[in-house]
Amino acid sequence: MKRLGNIYKDVVDVDLVISDIIDGTKFKRGKRKVRWLLHDQSIVKEHPELYHQIDRAKARKYAQYLVNLLESGAWRHKKPRHLRRYCQNRTHGGGKWRNLSVPCLDDHIIAHMVVRASERAFMRGMHPHCCGSVPGRGIKHVVKTVSRWLKGDKECRYFVKLDIRHFFENIDRRLMKATLRKVIKDKQVLDIFDQIIDSDDTACPIGYYTSPWFANLFLQDFDHFIEQGLYKERRGKRIKYARHYLRYVDDMLLVGTCKGDLLKAIKAIKRYLMDNYGLEIKDNWEIKAIGKHEIVDGKWRLKPGTYWCDIGGYKFCKDSVILRDGIYLSTTRLVRRMAKKGYYALHDCESLNSRIGWSMHCDNHNLLNDKIKPYVDLDRVRKVVSICGQGRKTAKLLSLPRSNIPETT
C-alpha cells in the first residue's frame, strides 16, 4: 500500500486548526481551561445565541500559538492526569469502572490536528464494516448492516460474538508505531504520534482522542485476514468460514452457515491474534442459532434453541430488531424518575432525547407510545433542552402527579 506523505502542512494550517479547536472543545465548554475561548458575557447578553460558543478571534490566537509551538519544536506531550471513573455503557445499558487518562488542553487539540490531517491514511484500506469511532459508521450503520444480513441472506443460520480481552491496555507500543509507519511517511507527523504513544503507560490510553483511531488501524490487517484468509475449497471454489463479519471496536460478530465452519474460524482467529499481536479472546463466546419468531398461544415467541444476536446496543433476529434489555429498562426507569420528580431537569431531558433516538432505529414502537408519551410531555422535554441551551440551569415546566408513574417491568 502506498504511504501518505506531505501532510504536516495540513496539521499547521491555522484555518483548519480553528475548526479543530471548535470540535475538540465541543463537550468541554464548561471547563475552566476552555471558558476563556468563549464569547464575553457582555456580548452574550446582547446575543443569547452565542452562549457557550467559541469566539473565532480568540480561537485564531490560540491556533497560532499551537502552530508556533509545533514549528519551533518546543512542544512536548505532557503526562496525562489519571482518573478512575464509573462510565456508563450505553450499548449495554450498564457500566463499569475505568482508568482514564486525561491530557491537557494543548495536547488534546494537537491530537485533533494530527488525526484530522492523517484521516485519509487511517481510512484507506479500512474494512467496510469496521464500526465505532469512525465517521459515518456508528450504531445506525450496525443496525442497517446486521438486519440486512439476517433478513436477506437465507444461508445465515448461526452466529458467534467474540471480544478481545483488555484490548486497549494490551496494544503493544512497538507494533503500534510500526503500523503507523506502514501508512504514513511524513516524519514530522510520525514524531508527534510517537510522543502521544510514549506519553502514558499504554499506547492507546482510554481518554485520548487518538486511541480509537489507533485501535482500528492496529486491527486493519486482522480484518483482512478474516475476510481473505478464512476459507475452505470446494470444487475449485473458495467458501468463507464466515459469510459475514462486522467489528465494533473490539467486539466481533461472525455470521455463518454451519457451526463447524465458525468453530474453525474461531480457532484461526485466536491463533492469529496471539501470534501477531499478543492478544487473547475472552472465553465467554458461544455459537448460537439465529432467532426466528413463531406464534405460541397467540403470542410471538422465539423458536426453541434459537437466540437473539446481541451487538451494538440492539438485539437482532431473522424478522425483527429490538433494543437491548438494559437500555429498555433504564429508559423506563428514567421516565419513572422524571414523573416522580414533578419537574424536568436538563440532564434527564437530554438523556431521554438520546434514548428516544435509539428506539427510532428498531421495532420498539411500544416504548415510545406506551411507556413514554403517556407520562412525559415530549414537547416540553425539547423546550427544556432549548431553554437550558440559552443559559438556564434547570426548568420546572410541568408537574406530574405520582399516580402517573409507569411500571418498569
Side-chain angles (χ1 to χ4, degrees):
M1 180 187 294
K2 187 176 180 180
R3 296 186 298 166
L4 188 66
N6 195 26
I7 57 177
Y8 182 73
K9 59 182 177 57
D10 295 331
V11 176
V12 294
D13 189 323
V14 174
D15 292 329
L16 295 177
V17 174
I18 293 174
S19 64
D20 294 328
I21 294 172
I22 295 174
D23 292 339
T25 60
K26 186 174 182 180
F27 301 103
K28 305 177 184 294
R29 305 288 167 82
K31 302 291 184 180
R32 177 178 57 83
K33 294 183 179 180
V34 181
R35 287 181 200 154
W36 69 274
L37 288 169
L38 305 179
H39 287 279
D40 297 332
Q41 289 297 321
S42 58
I43 299 177
V44 173
K45 289 181 180 180
E46 299 178 2
H47 304 280
E49 67 276 5
L50 297 179
Y51 176 76
H52 265 221
Q53 299 298 316
I54 296 294
D55 188 339
R56 296 189 71 89
K58 296 179 180 178
R60 179 170 289 277
K61 292 182 181 179
Y62 184 44
Q64 190 62 57
Y65 162 76
L66 294 177
V67 169
N68 293 338
L69 200 63
L70 286 176
E71 291 187 331
S72 64
W75 176 75
R76 294 291 181 272
H77 199 292
K78 300 180 179 63
K79 286 290 183 181
R81 183 165 49 97
H82 294 96
L83 300 175
R84 183 169 174 80
R85 184 172 296 175
Y86 186 80
C87 301
Q88 289 187 347
N89 193 327
R90 305 194 112 188
T91 61
H92 290 79
K96 59 181 177 181
W97 288 94
R98 291 188 181 275
N99 297 318
L100 304 181
S101 299
V102 184
C104 67
L105 182 62
D106 292 355
D107 297 339
H108 176 67
I109 300 301
I110 289 175
H112 271 264
M113 294 162 55
V114 71
V115 168
R116 182 254 308 154
S118 309
E119 185 173 335
R120 286 178 296 160
F122 288 116
M123 297 291 292
R124 182 190 297 174
M126 184 178 289
H127 190 272
H129 301 307
C130 170
C131 307
S133 303
V134 180
R137 299 188 195 174
I139 296 298
K140 190 175 180 180
H141 177 83
V142 174
V143 174
K144 286 185 176 181
T145 303
V146 177
S147 57
R148 184 180 71 249
W149 290 344
L150 301 189
K151 294 179 181 179
D153 191 348
K154 295 182 180 179
E155 297 296 325
C156 295
R157 298 187 180 94
Y158 298 94
F159 74 93
V160 63
K161 184 181 175 185
L162 307 177
D163 189 10
I164 301 177
R165 183 186 301 276
H166 300 298
F167 173 53
F168 284 93
E169 294 88 342
N170 292 328
I171 292 178
D172 186 83
R173 197 189 309 272
R174 178 181 55 83
L175 288 177
M176 188 68 251
K177 291 181 180 180
T179 304
L180 285 169
R181 279 157 175 78
K182 289 181 181 179
V183 297
I184 298 174
K185 63 180 179 181
D186 193 309
K187 187 178 184 303
Q188 292 173 297
V189 172
L190 290 172
D191 289 343
I192 296 175
F193 279 136
D194 288 348
Q195 285 202 49
I196 294 174
I197 292 173
D198 293 333
S199 64
D200 203 12
D201 299 332
T202 61
C204 299
I206 299 177
Y208 275 30
Y209 179 70
T210 54
S211 293
W213 289 96
F214 285 172
N216 285 326
L217 180 65
F218 189 70
L219 292 179
Q220 194 173 104
D221 291 342
F222 169 71
D223 294 337
H224 292 298
F225 165 74
I226 293 180
E227 283 289 343
Q228 302 170 9
L230 299 180
Y231 63 89
K232 59 185 178 182
E233 292 190 1
R234 291 283 176 85
R235 298 176 183 177
K237 294 182 179 180
R238 290 186 177 184
I239 301 176
K240 294 181 180 180
Y241 288 150
R243 289 183 64 86
H244 303 290
Y245 164 70
L246 179 141
R247 180 170 61 82
Y248 189 82
V249 190
D250 62 337
D251 292 340
M252 293 168 279
L253 174 67
L254 281 75
V255 183
T257 303
C258 66
K259 288 186 176 181
D261 288 348
L262 288 179
L263 186 59
K264 293 177 183 177
I266 294 169
K267 291 180 179 179
I269 287 171
K270 293 174 71 174
R271 185 167 55 250
Y272 184 90
L273 284 175
M274 178 55 67
D275 294 343
N276 293 276
Y277 302 110
L279 300 174
E280 296 180 356
I281 295 290
K282 291 182 180 178
D283 295 330
N284 58 354
W285 58 269
E286 184 178 357
I287 301 175
K288 300 179 180 179
I290 299 172
K292 188 174 182 180
H293 284 95
E294 63 180 2
I295 299 178
V296 179
D297 298 331
K299 295 183 178 180
W300 285 91
R301 302 288 187 223
L302 282 183
K303 287 184 177 181
T306 64
Y307 302 88
W308 291 100
C309 177
D310 189 344
I311 189 170
Y314 293 90
K315 301 194 326 185
F316 303 85
C317 70
K318 284 286 188 179
D319 46 20
S320 64
V321 182
I322 64 174
L323 279 175
R324 185 173 284 168
D325 296 341
I327 299 177
Y328 188 95
L329 182 62
S330 62
T331 303
T332 57
R333 285 176 173 173
L334 173 62
V335 175
R336 179 189 179 94
R337 289 197 302 271
M338 294 177 67
K340 182 180 288 187
K341 286 180 181 178
Y343 66 92
Y344 295 166
L346 173 61
H347 181 270
D348 293 338
C349 294
E350 290 177 338
S351 180
L352 183 59
N353 278 337
S354 174
R355 294 169 189 275
I356 291 174
W358 278 74
S359 64
M360 292 175 65
H361 301 299
C362 62
D363 301 324
N364 284 108
H365 305 296
N366 64 319
L367 175 64
L368 186 63
N369 297 326
D370 300 338
K371 300 294 185 179
I372 297 179
K373 285 185 177 180
Y375 311 102
V376 176
D377 189 339
L378 295 182
D379 291 335
R380 298 204 174 190
V381 167
R382 299 186 187 98
K383 188 175 181 181
V384 169
V385 176
S386 176
I387 291 176
C388 294
Q390 296 177 9
R392 291 174 57 180
K393 296 292 183 182
T394 58
K396 297 182 179 181
L397 296 177
L398 181 65
S399 296
L400 297 175
R402 291 180 179 269
S403 60
N404 283 348
I405 298 176
E407 297 292 334
T408 60
T409 58

